């Protein structure tokens, strides 16, 4: 049975790769560019269809569509359109590589992607990463991070989380007790216990563990992590807990904070809108509305401008006011 997509972007009905390629060429040829024509096509075709358009573009004109987009567009609109042209599995690998290369590491990106992707997605990302960059993701992660944060990332990169299955209530109780003893009851914290349990147990098992933990300790697991850990490890553990509870709620919160206050974290905004547009952006919109009393559409409208805003709003796919 096909998994029901909760994305805002789906295969475009009556799709014709050649016609789209011709429209895009016309929009970018000669003096000036018809940005609106470009963004309208690329935001309303699925990623698989965009790849077909790129192939048709090369066949018809002997030109590379992505290169043309880069030379004809500028700024955030260019970044967004080029991101939409990356095949999904390559998109995550590229974002991770970008977060790991050069001086300084973008821990925010590592945390967001590795905490939120499914086991199957993580295995896919590792494979593509190896093919693209001729080095394993794990080697780059260990070369660029340290301490318990590094160890938690390495556990996630193994992509060996238990599959969801029958819940063993005895193990739920045991894990909750172990976490309680490793954190609240201990002078200092036994980070390793948190890493092993949060990194390897199944999602449905962990949800039960968090409930049991609350019963035993009187605290939400998030409160304990907040008290017992700090820095990048704390952010990563909290991201894992949030994603176990609800991936769409995690992304809704990330989007909210990317746009809240002065300035916009456009990298995060684009990364989430692009990577979730065919997966669960409808659910993210729902969580956004529920948790922040305003719609994602409204906040994008208020926080961005120009053709970049138009493109993001088309990806958003509707208003929930």
């Amino acid at each position: 049975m096909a998994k029901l997509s909760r994305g805002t972007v789906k295969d475009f009905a009556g799709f014709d790769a050649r016609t789209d390629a011709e429209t895009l060429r016309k929009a970018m040829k000669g003096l000036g560019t018809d940005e609106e024509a470009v963004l309208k096509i690329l935001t309303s075709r699925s990623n698989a269809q965009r790849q077909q358009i790129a192939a048709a573009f090369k066949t018809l004109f002997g030109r590379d569509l992505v290169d043309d987009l880069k030379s004809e567009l500028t700024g955030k609109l260019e970044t967004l359109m080029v991101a939409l042209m990356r095949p999904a599995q390559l998109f995550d690998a590229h974002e991770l590589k970008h977060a790991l290369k050069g001086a300084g590491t973008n821990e925010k990106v590592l945390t967001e992607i590795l905490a939120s992707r499914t086991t199957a997605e993580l295995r896919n990302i590792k494979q593509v990463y190896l093919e693209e960059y001729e080095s394993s993701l794990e080697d780059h992660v260990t070369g660029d991070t340290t301490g318990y944060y590094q160890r938690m990332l390495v556990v996630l990169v193994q992509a060996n989380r238990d599959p969801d299955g029958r819940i063993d209530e005895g193990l739920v109780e045991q894990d909750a007790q172990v976490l309680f003893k490793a954190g609240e009851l201990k002078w200092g914290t036994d980070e390793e216990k948190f890493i092993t349990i949060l990194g390897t147990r199944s999602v449905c098992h962990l949800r039960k563990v968090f409930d049991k933990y609350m019963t035993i300790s009187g605290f939400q697991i998030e409160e304990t992590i907040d008290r017992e850990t700090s820095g990048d490890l704390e952010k990563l553990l909290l991201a894992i807990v949030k994603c176990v509870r609800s991936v769409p709620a995690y992304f809704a919160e990330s989007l909210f904070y990317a746009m809240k206050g002065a300035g916009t974290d456009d990298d995060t905004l684009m990364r989430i809108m692009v990577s979730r547009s065919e997966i669960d952006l409808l659910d993210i919109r729902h969580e956004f509305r529920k948790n922040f009393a305003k719609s994602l559409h409204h906040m994008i409208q208020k926080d961005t401008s120009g053709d970049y805003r138009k493109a993001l709003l088309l990806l958003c796919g509707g208003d929930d006011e």
Side-chain angles (χ1 to χ4, degrees):
M1 207 174 100
K3 187 172 178 291
L4 191 68
S5 161
R6 298 286 299 151
T8 52
V9 176
K10 297 178 166 58
D11 280 339
F12 187 75
F15 170 68
D16 183 337
R18 288 177 76 97
T19 305
D20 283 349
E22 283 161 359
T23 308
L24 287 170
R25 176 71 183 127
K26 192 168 155 229
M28 293 189 282
K29 197 174 165 185
L31 278 176
T33 303
D34 181 353
E35 285 90 355
E36 194 150 336
V38 173
L39 68 88
K40 275 202 165 133
I41 287 182
L42 297 185
T43 57
S44 62
R45 307 299 186 262
S46 68
N47 195 289
Q49 288 175 333
R50 288 180 213 128
Q51 305 314 317
Q52 290 177 50
I53 296 169
F57 197 85
K58 195 161 272 186
T59 300
L60 295 171
F61 311 113
R63 302 174 69 91
D64 185 286
L65 176 55
V66 172
D67 287 348
D68 277 13
L69 290 169
K70 285 177 178 171
S71 70
E72 294 297 326
L73 304 174
T74 55
K76 290 180 274 204
L77 182 67
E78 177 199 336
T79 309
L80 181 59
M81 292 301 111
V82 170
L84 285 171
M85 288 307 301
R86 277 201 184 94
Q89 63 280 16
L90 225 178
F91 181 78
D92 282 343
H94 173 270
E95 291 293 307
L96 289 167
K97 175 73 171 111
H98 204 65
L100 289 161
K101 85 167 191 232
T105 305
N106 189 334
E107 288 84 4
K108 186 176 197 170
V109 176
L110 298 184
T111 293
E112 179 197 296
I113 293 177
L114 296 176
S116 65
R117 300 312 190 246
T118 65
T119 301
E121 285 165 347
L122 287 169
R123 287 179 184 159
N124 216 338
I125 292 165
K126 284 198 319 187
Q127 181 66 35
V128 172
Y129 196 95
L130 189 58
E131 287 162 13
E132 282 294 307
Y133 307 113
E134 295 176 350
S135 173
S136 77
L137 175 58
E138 184 180 329
D139 285 348
H140 281 177
V141 164
T142 50
D144 248 42
T145 56
T146 55
Y148 287 116
Y149 177 64
Q150 178 200 79
R151 284 159 71 175
M152 184 75 250
L153 288 174
V154 169
V155 168
L156 293 173
V157 168
Q158 301 317 302
N160 282 329
R161 188 179 289 288
D162 294 336
D164 278 341
R166 199 179 61 77
I167 303 275
D168 176 346
E169 295 295 345
L171 187 59
V172 168
E173 172 83 39
Q174 188 185 317
D175 280 352
Q177 292 285 1
V178 166
L179 290 173
F180 186 41
K181 291 189 181 109
E184 298 289 349
L185 288 184
K186 193 176 184 336
W187 181 254
T189 310
D190 185 348
E191 287 90 352
E192 212 156 80
K193 297 284 194 290
F194 280 83
I195 288 169
T196 303
I197 291 172
L198 291 178
T200 62
R201 302 289 194 254
S202 76
V203 169
C204 58
H205 172 87
L206 284 172
R207 283 181 189 149
K208 293 268 196 189
V209 171
F210 300 161
D211 291 344
K212 180 64 75 178
Y213 186 87
M214 179 72 193
T215 312
I216 294 169
S217 69
F219 298 115
Q220 294 287 9
I221 189 81
E222 290 90 335
E223 297 173 78
T224 296
I225 290 169
D226 197 31
R227 263 199 300 277
E228 299 287 329
T229 60
S230 61
D232 293 322
L233 176 67
E234 178 190 350
K235 289 180 189 137
L236 179 54
L237 294 176
L238 286 173
I240 293 167
V241 170
K242 284 170 186 172
C243 287
V244 164
R245 292 196 189 277
S246 164
V247 170
Y250 168 71
F251 282 120
E253 185 184 336
S254 301
L255 284 168
F256 179 75
Y257 286 108
M259 292 184 280
K260 182 178 182 280
T264 304
D265 177 354
D266 288 294
D267 289 343
T268 297
L269 178 55
M270 283 190 242
R271 195 171 51 250
I272 297 174
M273 294 299 286
V274 170
S275 65
R276 308 315 288 186
S277 61
E278 289 183 51
I279 300 174
D280 55 1
L281 196 46
L282 289 170
D283 295 328
I284 293 168
R285 271 171 38 186
H286 173 76
E287 291 294 332
F288 198 98
R289 184 79 189 83
K290 187 176 87 184
N291 297 332
F292 303 109
K294 56 177 67 129
S295 72
L296 176 58
H297 189 280
H298 171 79
M299 206 152 173
I300 291 170
Q301 181 113 39
K302 198 168 97 302
D303 231 63
T304 57
S305 61
D307 289 320
Y308 171 58
R309 169 166 66 193
K310 277 182 201 159
L312 286 172
L313 290 175
L314 284 168
L315 283 177
C316 183
D319 199 347
D320 307 293
E321 282 295 10

